[in-house]
């Protein structure tokens, strides 16, 4: 099971960091569409996060080409054929998976993957280009165009992020499905992305940058983290309770795998997932003063990023390598590889432009943000 574990860990981390990078793009789009001025002093941070998307896109395609049979049961062609070549019934035929062939087939899967990353990278490049152009020319014309691009980005994200969650995570457990799963993955990506934005801002401030970002900005970011940690818990609880009360075998199997099967292999992680992603952020950021302290925010952000890594671990591992998962040098090494690559790309992108969008029409509002 060793190579299967390698592929599963690589796939899980790639999905996780794809989401964090994508949230950088989504955050920028939301700020434009909502005419937000408070976030202008640190706008370049989420903007830089989207630069990692081309790398995760290439890796996603490579991983799937080489590891599709190790990760996705539905990729085995014999599952779709009722009879063998000699006319005898095919013992491998799976009617449930065969009925999903219109969506779960390799050509369409590859097409969706390429289209999703293509659109995300395109929108990031367009918004980034307008942002840099705005630094040179100023005015509101470029800003108005960015608002339109932001609206288009949100529409693309709304559709593609849910479908990507179905493709890259939910289809691992091919017999199981949840109509809330797209929202669930979005919630995990979203709070992880906000924690990443906050952590990068704090690290930059600690090294003498982003003087224009004050404790009021940090307070609002802390409120975002606090609120959307609760939102993630709401989605988690809603999905769990709906399946628990209905008690339909093809739905409950997902949680039975993670609670009882494989000699309770995942039971402790199931509890840790809820404690780290809800209980600790809820208690840690309940106080107004805590949201304004860089050290506390930094600890909470790191904790949330680790916690939602565990969340994706719970989504992927039981359906791919079952009881053969673990946490050792492999997992630590892959995490360090992705963190290093992400940090390098984001830092390099930040270095190519002013850290503050100096001619943004709402910059003055951001400079005097006070709550």
């Amino acid at each position: 099971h060793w190579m299967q574990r390698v592929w599963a860990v690589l796939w899980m981390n790639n999905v996780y960091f794809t989401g964090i990078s994508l949230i950088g793009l989504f955050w920028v789009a939301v700020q434009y569409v909502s005419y937000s001025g408070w976030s202008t002093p640190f706008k370049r941070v989420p903007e830089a996060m989207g630069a990692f998307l081309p790398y995760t896109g290439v890796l996603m395609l490579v991983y799937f080409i080489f590891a599709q049979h190790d990760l996705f049961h539905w990729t085995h062609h014999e599952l779709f054929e009722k009879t063998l070549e000699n006319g005898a019934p095919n013992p491998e035929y799976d009617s449930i998976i065969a009925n999903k062939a219109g969506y779960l087939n390799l050509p369409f899967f590859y097409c969706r993957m390429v289209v999703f990353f293509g659109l995300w990278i395109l929108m990031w490049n367009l918004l980034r280009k307008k942002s840099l152009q705005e630094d040179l020319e100023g005015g509101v014309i470029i800003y108005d165009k960015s608002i339109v691009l932001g609206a288009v980005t949100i529409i693309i994200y709304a559709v593609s992020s849910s479908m990507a969650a179905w493709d890259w995570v939910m289809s691992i457990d091919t017999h199981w499905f949840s109509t809330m799963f797209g929202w669930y993955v979005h919630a995990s990506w979203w709070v992880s992305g906000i924690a990443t934005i906050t952590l990068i801002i704090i690290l930059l401030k600690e090294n003498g940058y982003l003087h224009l970002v004050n404790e009021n900005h940090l307070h609002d970011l802390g409120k975002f983290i606090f609120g959307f940690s609760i939102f993630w818990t709401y989605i988690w609880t809603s999905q769990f309770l709906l399946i628990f009360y209905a008690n339909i075998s093809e739905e409950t199997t997902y949680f039975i795998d993670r609670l009882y099967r494989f000699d309770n292999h995942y039971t402790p992680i199931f509890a840790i997932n809820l404690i780290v992603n809800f209980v600790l952020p809820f208690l840690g950021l309940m106080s107004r003063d805590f949201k304004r302290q860089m050290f506390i925010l930094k600890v909470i952000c790191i904790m949330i990023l680790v916690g939602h890594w565990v969340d994706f671990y719970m989504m992927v591992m039981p359906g791919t390598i079952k009881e053969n998962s673990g946490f050792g040098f492999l997992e630590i090494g892959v995490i360090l590889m992705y963190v290093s690559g992400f940090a390098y790309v984001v830092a390099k992108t930040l270095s190519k432009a002013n850290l503050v969008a100096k001619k943004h029409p709402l910059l003055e509002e951001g400079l005097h943000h006070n709550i």
Side-chain angles (χ1 to χ4, degrees):
H1 303 286
W2 176 248
M3 276 309 300
Q4 191 177 15
R5 180 175 167 182
V6 171
W7 288 123
V9 172
L10 288 170
W11 183 266
M12 184 208 74
N13 279 276
N14 205 68
V15 172
Y16 182 53
F17 278 89
T18 294
I20 290 175
S21 306
L22 182 58
I23 291 303
L25 170 64
F26 183 63
W27 173 279
V28 172
V30 169
Q31 302 309 299
Y32 274 123
V33 172
S34 60
Y35 292 88
S36 296
W38 73 275
S39 60
T40 307
F42 60 86
K43 171 180 175 288
R44 287 282 154 78
V45 171
E47 191 176 282
M49 287 163 54
F52 199 54
L53 284 170
Y55 301 93
T56 59
V58 172
L59 289 172
M60 190 80 76
L61 188 60
V62 171
Y63 294 162
F64 187 75
I65 290 172
F66 288 100
Q68 54 185 262
H69 295 322
D70 289 320
L71 300 176
F72 297 92
H73 181 59
W74 61 266
T75 58
H76 294 83
H77 67 87
E78 61 270 15
L79 299 173
F80 300 89
E81 299 170 359
K82 284 188 176 182
T83 59
L84 301 172
E85 292 182 359
N86 60 8
N90 179 14
E92 301 294 326
Y93 175 72
D94 190 315
S95 60
I96 295 175
I97 295 177
N99 287 332
K100 298 181 180 183
Y103 185 81
L104 289 180
N105 61 79
L106 289 177
F108 193 23
F109 191 93
Y110 278 118
C111 180
R112 290 195 299 272
M113 186 184 293
V114 172
V115 168
F116 293 162
F117 275 104
L119 289 173
W120 296 339
I121 294 168
L122 172 65
M123 298 313 299
W124 178 80
N125 276 290
L126 291 175
L127 282 168
R128 174 71 171 175
K129 182 180 178 181
K130 291 297 179 187
S131 179
L132 298 180
Q133 187 181 352
E134 188 177 67
D135 268 8
L136 299 175
E137 301 177 16
V140 296
I141 296 176
I142 296 173
Y143 179 73
D144 289 340
K145 292 179 180 178
S146 296
I147 292 172
V148 175
L149 288 173
V152 173
T153 300
I154 291 173
I155 294 170
I156 291 171
Y157 175 85
V159 177
S160 60
S161 63
S162 287
M163 295 180 72
W166 305 339
D167 287 357
W168 304 339
V169 185
M170 192 169 74
S171 73
I172 289 172
D173 297 275
T174 318
H175 283 195
W176 180 80
F177 70 92
S178 167
T179 54
M180 297 186 67
F181 198 77
W183 276 105
Y184 179 73
V185 172
H186 161 71
S188 194
W189 274 347
W190 181 234
V191 73
S192 300
I194 298 172
T196 304
I197 293 168
T198 308
L199 182 60
I200 294 172
I201 291 169
I202 291 172
L203 292 174
L204 287 171
K205 282 187 69 63
E206 288 179 341
N207 285 277
Y209 300 97
L210 290 181
H211 302 290
L212 301 180
V213 176
N214 57 43
E215 61 182 11
N216 297 293
H217 297 100
L218 295 176
H219 186 182
D220 272 350
L221 287 166
K223 287 193 291 186
F224 266 99
I225 296 170
F226 177 78
F228 283 103
S229 292
I230 297 173
F231 174 72
W232 172 85
T233 311
Y234 164 72
I235 298 295
W236 187 98
T237 306
S238 298
Q239 181 174 254
F240 179 81
L241 287 181
L242 285 170
I243 292 173
F244 176 82
Y245 279 120
N247 199 25
I248 301 172
S249 58
E250 58 265 31
E251 295 180 356
T252 56
T253 183
Y254 182 84
F255 288 102
I256 290 172
D257 282 352
R258 287 151 179 80
L259 272 171
Y260 307 118
R261 286 196 184 121
F262 316 125
D263 294 324
N264 298 320
H265 185 70
Y266 294 98
T267 307
I269 309 174
F270 190 89
I272 290 169
N273 190 27
L274 282 175
I275 293 170
V276 175
N277 290 322
F278 170 62
V279 178
L280 296 182
F282 181 79
L283 297 176
L285 292 177
M286 188 180 293
S287 166
R288 181 181 190 273
D289 292 336
F290 285 0
K291 297 187 188 78
R292 305 171 80 87
Q293 300 296 322
M294 287 202 301
F295 175 75
I296 293 174
L297 271 179
K298 182 164 67 171
V299 171
I300 294 291
C301 287
I302 293 172
M303 185 173 61
I304 283 174
L305 289 170
V306 172
H308 283 281
W309 185 94
V310 172
D311 188 28
F312 275 89
Y313 185 94
M314 287 294 288
M315 292 186 219
V316 173
M317 295 302 169
T320 53
I321 53 178
K322 307 187 187 314
E323 71 276 9
N324 300 300
S325 68
F327 188 80
F329 289 115
L330 169 64
E331 286 75 16
I332 294 171
V334 172
I335 292 170
L336 292 176
M337 179 183 73
Y338 270 91
V339 169
S340 301
F342 179 79
Y344 175 78
V345 171
V346 171
K348 187 176 180 180
T349 305
L350 285 172
S351 69
K352 291 181 177 179
N354 294 311
L355 268 180
V356 177
K358 58 184 180 180
K359 291 189 178 180
H360 193 288
L362 299 182
L363 178 59
E364 197 67 23
E365 180 183 334
L367 297 181
H368 295 91
H369 182 56
N370 187 22
I371 54 173

